[in-house]
């Protein structure tokens, strides 16, 4: 893999109805209905809205044989209305439902974690399913979820990316052995970092065995609103940027058709860099793409080392952010009032030595840096400006923090190349990533910023984040920077919500529940709260959450503290108050 230049990974073509994927086909977009699969008319209407929004595939849950067989009626009704969008059946727990769905859907998703424990039994059951799919020309998605690995895998690997890969490869080897090629793979988790690392490991494992199966990307239970968009864009974007991914789903706790425009914006932002001018980067020998750790840096004040990544804002307007930035770049003039606890950064020729202020240099000012007594200095730096003179200066000045910037169409690749160059030279100066935009829409800014920063965060290359958007306030970009760092799991500053998008298994108002839980817990900070539609992925995906609110039946909710069920089958109208009481009693 080329870490610095965008190039889609070569994959097999998989035929899914009239809409193939993989190979040279564009990245496909999809969503999932969130109503009972037995409600034929409502499913058809939702499927039409997804297709009209630009979705290439529509997924429906089929928790039993009855629901799987009703896909025949849904499929026929869609075709009668002139829609050719392929249907994908989503199966959990019930291999018999998978067998039935294979006769009426264009693709069937199975979860390896739900198959029997004994490998010989797994093989026999899975081979029988593949033969039905072969006869019906039905594609298969092997969908591994972090929250529902089998007991056998958990005993050997725990709920790790390595366990997810082992679970998937067991099934892929069977497919390869019998020559069944219409297979798509997904490795999903509600933690974007776990998802990215799992996919990276899987691709490596497939390459070792000559496999080219296409990839379905998604962050499960990403949530809704800003949080859902940022977490999805960070995880999916980190992989798309490396050329990985053939179809994507942005899982939001919103109307299914609302997912498609978000996915399209994310895809289009990444693929726009295709054909860019080559970045002449060289990977550092001690960088491990499959298991990255934070780059070793020398701490300067509160930047680098073991400090959490800092957030930098721009101008006096940054004062109005919900959370105070660690530093504000004031350019040439300090604001009239300084915010306590914030460091101010001035252009070097305007710096006077005032307390809590620090100079920022350009590469043209390097000769003057040695005469400055400041204990912390910043240097705006591009990859092209990383010359022998710059490297020599950095060796002499470990107190310099780099503000890394790029105007290249593939910013991620160029910023990666810069940090790898520092690593090869044995330099430990901290790096603040500077990303600049001119986006009028909040959604576009959220998607692009999270996607551009995602892989760099996961690679361990971020000691700070500085976002600038010319079309919105500096306060908004400061708040966005904190949100991106939280999505990347590197700096937690507020309560984090995990919520699934809902499906035909959900028996209560999920979107309303998410809104009520958020409203009741908005005053809390540093907690992780999960709101899940049912038990399929609920307890597993929220295993690292502090508290869980999980659908237990029609109008019924169970409450969890971590993976332990504390209260079962609470009436929905009492559940939020009981959740809040549980939190207050145990914190």
């Amino acid at each position: 893999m080329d870490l610095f230049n965008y190039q889609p990974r070569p994959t097999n073509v998989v035929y899914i109805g009239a809409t193939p994927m993989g190979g040279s086909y564009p990245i496909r977009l999809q969503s999932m209905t969130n109503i009972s699969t037995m409600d034929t008319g409502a499913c058809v209407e939702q499927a039409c809205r997804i297709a009209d929004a630009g979705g290439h595939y529509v997924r429906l849950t089929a928790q039993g044989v009855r629901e799987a067989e009703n896909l025949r009626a849904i499929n026929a009704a869609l075709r009668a209305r002139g829609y050719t969008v392929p249907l994908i059946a989503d199966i959990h727990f019930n291999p018999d439902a998978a067998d039935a769905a294979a006769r009426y859907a264009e693709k069937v998703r199975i979860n390896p974690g739900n198959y029997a424990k004994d490998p010989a039994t797994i093989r026999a059951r899975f081979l029988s399913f593949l033969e039905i799919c072969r006869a019906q020309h039905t594609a298969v998605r092997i969908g591994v979820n972090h929250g529902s690995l089998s007991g056998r895998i958990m005993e050997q690997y725990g709920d790790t990316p390595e366990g997810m890969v082992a679970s998937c490869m067991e099934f892929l080897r069977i497919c390869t052995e019998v020559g069944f090629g219409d297979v798509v793979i997904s490795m999903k988790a509600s933690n974007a970092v776990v998802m990215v690392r799992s996919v990276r490991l899987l691709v490596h494992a497939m390459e070792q065995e000559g496999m080219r199966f296409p990839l379905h990307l998604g962050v499960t239970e990403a949530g809704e609103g800003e949080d859902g968009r940022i977490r999805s864009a960070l995880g999916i974007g980190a992989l798309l940027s490396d050329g990985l991914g053939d179809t994507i789903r942005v899982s939001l706790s919103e109307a299914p058709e609302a997912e498609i425009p978000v996915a399209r914006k994310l895809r289009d932002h990444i693929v726009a860099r295709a054909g860019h001018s080559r970045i002449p980067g060289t990977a550092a020998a001690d960088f491990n793409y499959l298991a990255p750790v934070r780059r070793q840096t020398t701490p300067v004040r509160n930047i680098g080392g073991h400090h959490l990544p800092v957030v930098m804002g721009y101008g006096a307007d940054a004062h109005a952010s919900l959370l105070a930035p660690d530093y504000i770049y004031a350019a040439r003039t300090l604001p009239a009032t300084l915010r306590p606890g914030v460091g101010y950064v001035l252009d070097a020729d305007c710096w006077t030595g005032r307390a809590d202020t620090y100079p920022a240099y350009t590469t043209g000012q390097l000769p003057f840096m040695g005469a400055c007594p400041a204990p912390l200095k910043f240097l705006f730096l591009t990859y092209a400006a990383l010359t022998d003179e710059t490297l020599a200066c950095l060796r002499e000045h470990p107190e310099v923090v780099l503000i890394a910037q790029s105007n290249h169409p593939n910013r991620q690749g160029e910023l990666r190349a810069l940090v790898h160059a520092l690593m090869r030279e044995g330099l430990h100066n901290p790096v603040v990533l500077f990303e600049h935009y001119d986006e009028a829409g909040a959604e576009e800014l959220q998607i692009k910023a999270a996607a551009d920063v995602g892989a760099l965060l996961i690679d361990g290359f971020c000691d700070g984040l500085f976002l600038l958007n010319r079309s919105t306030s500096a306060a908004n970009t400061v708040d966005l920077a904190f949100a991106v760092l939280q999505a990347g799991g590197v700096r937690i500053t507020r309560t984090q919500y995990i919520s699934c998008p809902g499906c035909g298994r959900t028996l209560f108002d999920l979107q309303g529940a998410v809104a009520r839980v958020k409203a009741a817990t908005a005053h809390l900070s540093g907690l992780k709260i999960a709101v899940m539609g049912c038990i399929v992925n609920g307890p597993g995906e929220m295993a690292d959450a502090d508290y869980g609110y999980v659908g237990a039946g029609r109008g019924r909710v169970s409450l969890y503290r971590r993976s332990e069920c504390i209260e079962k089958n609470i009436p929905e109208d009492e559940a939020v108050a009981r959740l809040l009481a549980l939190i207050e009693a145990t914190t």
Side-chain angles (χ1 to χ4, degrees):
M1 175 183 292
D2 189 332
L3 292 173
F4 314 108
N5 297 281
Y6 174 74
Q7 184 174 354
R9 165 180 169 258
T11 59
N12 304 335
V13 174
V14 171
Y15 295 92
I16 306 168
T19 310
M21 64 173 287
S24 60
Y25 288 101
I27 296 169
R28 303 298 193 184
L29 313 178
Q30 59 180 279
S31 184
M32 184 174 183
T33 62
N34 61 6
I35 50 181
S36 171
T37 308
M38 295 306 298
D39 190 338
T40 302
C43 285
V44 169
E45 291 299 327
Q46 262 193 358
C48 291
R49 290 197 295 272
I50 292 169
D52 291 342
H56 299 108
Y57 307 120
V58 174
R59 185 152 50 109
L60 306 93
T61 186
Q63 61 267 50
V65 172
R66 193 168 69 107
E67 288 82 2
E69 290 179 342
N70 197 51
L71 292 171
R72 180 180 187 180
I74 296 170
N75 209 324
L78 275 170
R79 308 305 167 232
R81 291 180 59 167
Y83 286 84
T84 59
V85 58
L87 299 185
I88 302 170
D90 189 77
I91 309 295
H92 282 275
F93 303 126
N94 192 338
D96 290 338
D99 291 351
R103 295 178 168 86
Y104 306 119
E106 281 76 21
K107 185 169 79 169
V108 177
R109 178 274 174 108
I110 61 162
N111 183 345
N114 297 149
Y115 273 69
K117 293 182 180 180
D118 175 40
T121 305
I122 289 174
R123 178 182 176 83
R125 195 69 183 82
F126 185 54
L127 283 173
S128 173
F129 167 67
L130 289 183
E131 287 309 309
I132 297 171
C133 292
R134 194 193 302 273
Q136 299 293 326
H137 304 287
T138 303
V140 174
R141 170 156 71 99
I142 298 173
V144 181
N145 272 24
H146 182 232
S148 55
L149 296 175
S150 71
R152 178 170 55 87
I153 293 293
M154 289 286 286
E155 288 173 7
Q156 186 172 357
Y157 297 94
D159 60 343
T160 62
E162 290 78 7
M164 294 175 70
V165 172
S167 178
C168 185
M169 290 299 293
E170 185 174 48
F171 282 71
L172 289 183
R173 291 186 184 111
I174 296 173
C175 293
T176 301
E177 179 185 333
V178 300
F180 187 91
D182 280 331
V183 178
V184 181
I185 313 154
S186 66
M187 309 283 280
K188 292 193 176 184
S190 59
N191 183 316
V193 177
V194 171
M195 186 274 282
V196 171
R197 290 184 176 178
S198 299
V199 173
R200 288 181 176 184
L201 280 169
L202 175 69
V203 171
H204 176 72
M206 286 197 294
E207 287 176 350
Q208 298 298 107
E209 300 191 25
M211 297 177 182
R212 294 289 184 184
F213 296 109
L215 297 167
H216 167 126
L217 304 183
V219 177
T220 61
E221 289 80 44
E224 48 86 56
E226 177 186 90
D227 289 345
R229 285 155 176 78
I230 291 172
R231 197 181 308 162
S232 290
L234 188 146
I236 298 171
L239 293 166
L240 290 180
S241 297
D242 286 341
L244 306 178
D246 303 272
T247 180
I248 63 176
R249 184 203 173 184
V250 175
S251 298
L252 301 175
S253 300
E254 301 176 16
E257 62 270 20
E259 298 178 348
I260 300 300
V262 180
R264 183 188 302 110
K265 290 172 184 177
L266 173 57
R267 178 200 63 187
D268 292 352
H269 175 60
I270 300 299
V271 301
R273 63 189 63 168
H276 64 71
S277 56
R278 182 166 179 79
I279 300 168
T282 302
D286 56 347
F287 174 70
N288 186 346
Y289 176 77
L290 300 180
V293 296
R294 186 172 178 183
R295 170 178 166 257
Q296 183 181 353
T297 57
T298 300
V300 186
R301 199 171 179 257
N302 63 337
I303 309 176
H306 296 294
H307 295 290
L308 297 175
V310 298
V311 168
M312 183 177 285
Y314 175 74
D317 187 36
H319 284 153
S321 58
L322 296 175
L323 294 169
D326 302 284
Y327 293 89
I328 292 177
Y329 175 55
R332 307 192 66 77
T333 307
L334 285 173
T337 302
L338 304 189
R339 188 167 179 170
V342 175
Y344 290 81
V345 182
L346 287 163
D347 291 338
D349 58 337
C350 298
W351 185 71
T352 63
R354 179 174 173 174
D356 296 324
T357 68
Y358 307 93
Y361 291 82
T362 64
T363 51
Q365 298 170 314
L366 292 180
F368 308 104
M369 188 178 287
C372 175
L376 164 61
K377 303 164 189 171
F378 293 90
L379 173 64
F380 285 97
L381 183 67
T382 64
Y383 182 46
L386 195 62
T387 62
D388 289 343
E389 179 188 8
T390 306
L391 292 170
C393 181
L394 294 177
R395 289 191 186 95
E396 292 295 321
H397 295 285
E399 78 278 9
V400 171
V401 172
L402 304 178
I403 301 177
Q405 55 188 342
S406 172
N407 289 316
H408 194 277
N410 184 3
R411 294 182 193 173
Q412 175 193 291
E414 194 168 70
L415 292 175
R416 233 184 198 165
L418 188 156
V419 179
H420 275 268
L422 296 174
M423 295 172 70
R424 293 199 318 276
E425 295 291 333
L427 293 169
H428 301 292
N429 303 76
V431 172
V432 173
L433 303 173
F434 176 41
E435 299 281 4
H436 55 92
Y437 304 93
D438 190 8
E439 298 294 334
E443 183 175 84
E444 287 77 6
L445 178 60
Q446 293 159 8
I447 292 169
K448 291 183 178 181
D452 290 339
V453 172
L456 300 169
L457 280 179
I458 293 166
D459 287 350
F461 292 168
C462 178
D463 299 299
L465 184 57
F466 180 9
L467 300 181
L468 174 65
N469 186 52
R470 301 186 185 280
S471 299
T472 57
S473 73
N476 288 343
T477 54
V478 166
D479 293 334
L480 176 58
F482 278 110
V484 170
L485 293 177
Q486 173 141 333
V490 295
R491 185 170 179 178
I492 308 302
T493 50
R494 58 185 180 179
T495 294
Q496 181 175 335
Y497 298 95
I498 300 169
S499 63
C500 71
C503 67
R505 295 181 292 262
T506 304
L507 300 177
F508 67 98
D509 177 12
L510 184 66
Q511 292 182 44
V514 172
R516 291 192 297 275
V517 169
K518 281 190 169 184
T521 58
H523 61 290
L524 305 173
S525 62
L527 292 179
K528 185 181 289 188
I529 300 174
V531 183
M532 312 297 288
C534 70
I535 63 168
V536 167
N537 291 320
E541 289 295 353
M542 68 180 198
D544 62 343
D546 298 293
Y547 299 94
Y549 178 111
V550 181
R554 191 168 300 282
R556 294 279 168 170
V557 172
S558 293
L559 300 181
Y560 286 72
R561 184 172 59 236
R562 295 200 175 276
S563 57
E564 180 186 3
C565 185
I566 304 299
E567 297 189 64
K568 294 182 178 180
N569 297 316
I570 302 166
E572 186 182 358
D573 58 2
E574 299 176 14
V576 172
R578 300 269 280 273
L579 172 64
L580 193 58
L582 174 62
I583 294 171
E584 291 174 347
T586 55
T587 56

